[in-house]
Amino acid sequence: MWKGPWYVPELKVLNLRNNSLMGIIPPSVRNATKLMNFSLSGNRVSGNIPKEIGNLSQLAFLYLFDNQLTGFIPVTLFNISSLLALSLGINSLSGPLLLDERNTMSNLKLLDISYNQISGCIPSNICQLTELKALSMSFNSITGDIPKNIGCLSKLEEFYIGYNPIKGTIPISLGNISTLRNLYSSNNRIVGQIPPELGKLSKFRK
């Protein structure tokens, strides 16, 4: 897709979605230091997500969904404190979701990793992402329980975890999220009872 290094220090928006672009995202993307909106969704981009994207300190929107990306999700993405939306769905990404312990991604509102091959558990420190409004993790290989402290995501509106081998019970703390409208958890291994607290959510679509 690109040949040679990037020399675009003033570039702020790069939107190439819904084309037939191929190739990889080069590590030299780090040179686009003022990039705020980066979209390659709906292409045929392959290879790994370069960890160098984590150097784009002004990036607010990263849309890479519906491509052929492989490998792990770089932890460096979660160093970008300016990031508002991270959409990586419909790829072939694998490995666990690992969040930076320093909680630098406090502004993130959308996290979409659905339709991949993500494994491991939902990290308990996902509750650091206190501004999240939409969390989509459906159609992966995520195991373990839903974190008991998931209720800390007090602004969450959409929560999609269907079609994973997630087990355990539905945490009572979900009932603390007054903004929650959609909970999609079909085709998992969840057991027990539905917490009555969910029935008290005024915006919940029952």
Side-chain angles (χ1 to χ4, degrees), residues 82-162:
S82 58
L83 204 57
L84 301 177
L86 176 58
S87 183
L88 306 175
I90 316 179
N91 280 288
S92 295
L93 298 168
S94 59
L97 176 66
L98 301 174
L99 302 183
D100 195 304
E101 294 291 342
R102 292 173 294 176
N103 189 22
T104 56
M105 215 178 195
S106 57
N107 295 310
L108 192 67
K109 299 181 185 300
L110 166 68
L111 176 58
D112 177 15
I113 59 170
S114 59
Y115 291 91
N116 278 287
Q117 300 165 19
I118 304 299
S119 58
C121 300
I122 301 174
S124 59
N125 63 339
I126 200 165
C127 294
Q128 296 176 347
L129 309 179
T130 54
E131 295 296 316
L132 267 186
K133 291 188 175 182
L135 176 58
S136 182
M137 312 176 84
S138 297
F139 292 93
N140 278 290
S141 299
I142 297 171
T143 58
D145 299 355
I146 303 172
K148 301 299 182 185
N149 60 347
I150 196 71
C152 293
L153 300 179
S154 60
K155 297 182 181 180
L156 196 64
E157 298 176 4
E158 317 280 339
F159 186 30
Y160 302 109
I161 53 171

Side-chain angles (χ1 to χ4, degrees), residues 24-80:
I24 66 169
I25 304 172
S28 56
V29 68
R30 64 177 177 270
N31 294 327
T33 54
K34 294 187 179 180
L35 196 61
M36 300 176 65
N37 189 330
F38 186 20
S39 178
L40 292 174
S41 58
N43 281 286
R44 290 182 284 173
V45 180
S46 58
N48 297 343
I49 301 173
K51 65 181 186 300
E52 287 80 4
I53 289 182
N55 294 332
L56 304 181
S57 60
Q58 298 185 40
L59 193 63
F61 303 96
L62 180 58
Y63 298 110
L64 301 178
F65 66 89
D66 194 11
N67 276 288
Q68 299 171 10
L69 295 167
T70 57
F72 289 12
I73 299 174
V75 178
T76 55
L77 290 184
F78 298 95
N79 293 333
I80 308 174

